[in-house]
Amino acid sequence: MPRLPPSPGPRCPIPGSGDRLLQLNPDLIDTGTPPIPAARAWMTRYDGGFGPPIDLSQAAPGSAPPAELLKRLGEAAARPDIARYGAILGDADLRESYAAELSHLYGGEIASADVAITAGCNLAFVAAILAVAKAGDNVILPAPWYFNHQMTLQMLGIEARPLICRPEDRFVPAVAAAEALIDGRTRALVLVTPNNPTGAIYPDGLIAAFAGLARARGVALIIDETYRDFLAPGANRAHGLFTEAGWRDHVIQLYSFSKAYAVPGHRVGAITAGPAPMAQVLKVLDSFQICAARPAQGVLAWAIGAMQPWRAEVRAAINGRISAFEGVVSSCPGWEISSIGAYFAYVRHPFDGVPAERVAEALAAERGVLGLPGSYFGPGQERHLRFAFANADVAAISGLPARLSGLSV
């Protein structure tokens, strides 16, 4: 379990009830609290001596969406018909536009019936997990893992079984290691590519091998592609899973519109899956959201095609920041990038034997740079910090050497 900030105790008094205590969900109590707000508290001690603070803790778009998109969002929010409930699986226009984009991007045939629209990708993950697993089952997660994935499984009473990814392999998971973890209670293999937290990008052949393993062992392959829009130039698609005739039997793909369209506050994500899991996803979404927020759904249906040039510019800018960040870290003695891609750099710190949380806290409080400790992302990560550099421009990134060099912990 990652070293996330602790949750409150298991019971709390009911006002005016004497000695009676409210019993809370033990699975939820055992789940760590959201780590980013806790880490940001370290920055309150920074005195500004190295310049403005640089927050590299959260994967947030570094620029606002285009003015035309904002204008359309305002107009959509003012429409009385949009204020009504929508379809549980999402409005038809967005499902059709997104399915068409997927078909073009991956070279497969994806229908709108294969798509559900969710209130963000975290909810997409919750729905996918609930569709295939129950309390007492296990799900295999590459570790280091995205902490919200582990938190979701913990609170649902589902074991997060770590698939250890090694720095010497650039944090790319091994199929054989995953196969060794599968038992009678395993319900899904999860892949995140480009990866959060490491930035690792899994090759097409590896993803295909994981799909083959999932199919052979009768488990789901849940592949989270939130950051697929930021693959390096020349990478037209992440994999060929959707070109296979039987993909609907075992593949569940997750996506977020937040990053590519710079609208994280509007909370729009997507699930792509076959009819069997989609029938269960329908139940989850009806219970959790009823329908995703509708103003953004309508605008995103337009934006998928209309914003292609803007998205390409953002993609180029993010890849430029990758190069800038690589140059910065290479100039800092003792600091080393273990993996980088899309929004993230997973960086080995120079302080042997010092917990990652202590290093991250010192960097934030003394130098005004907030990254997250590797310990927040699973076991065995004490030598690493995660930096989400996509929300910092090249000028801010270029100022990092003075802050990283000479840090004392």
Side-chain angles (χ1 to χ4, degrees), residues 125-141:
F125 183 77
V126 172
I129 290 297
L130 285 172
V132 301
K134 66 181 185 305
D137 290 336
N138 69 67
V139 169
I140 296 172
L141 292 184

Side-chain angles (χ1 to χ4, degrees), residues 103 105-110 204 237 239-247:
S103 298
L105 184 63
Y106 291 96
E109 295 185 5
I110 299 163
D204 185 355
R237 70 180 190 187
H239 56 74
L241 298 183
F242 293 131
T243 64
E244 300 175 4
W247 73 263

Side-chain angles (χ1 to χ4, degrees), residues 324-337 347-351 363 367 369 387 397-407:
F325 197 89
E326 288 175 326
V328 160
V329 175
S330 67
S331 70
C332 299
W335 296 84
E336 179 183 351
I337 294 176
V347 179
R348 181 179 172 89
H349 68 74
F351 305 103
L363 187 60
R367 302 298 178 94
V369 178
F387 294 102
I397 291 171
S398 66
L400 289 174
R403 305 192 189 210
L404 292 178
S405 300
L407 179 68

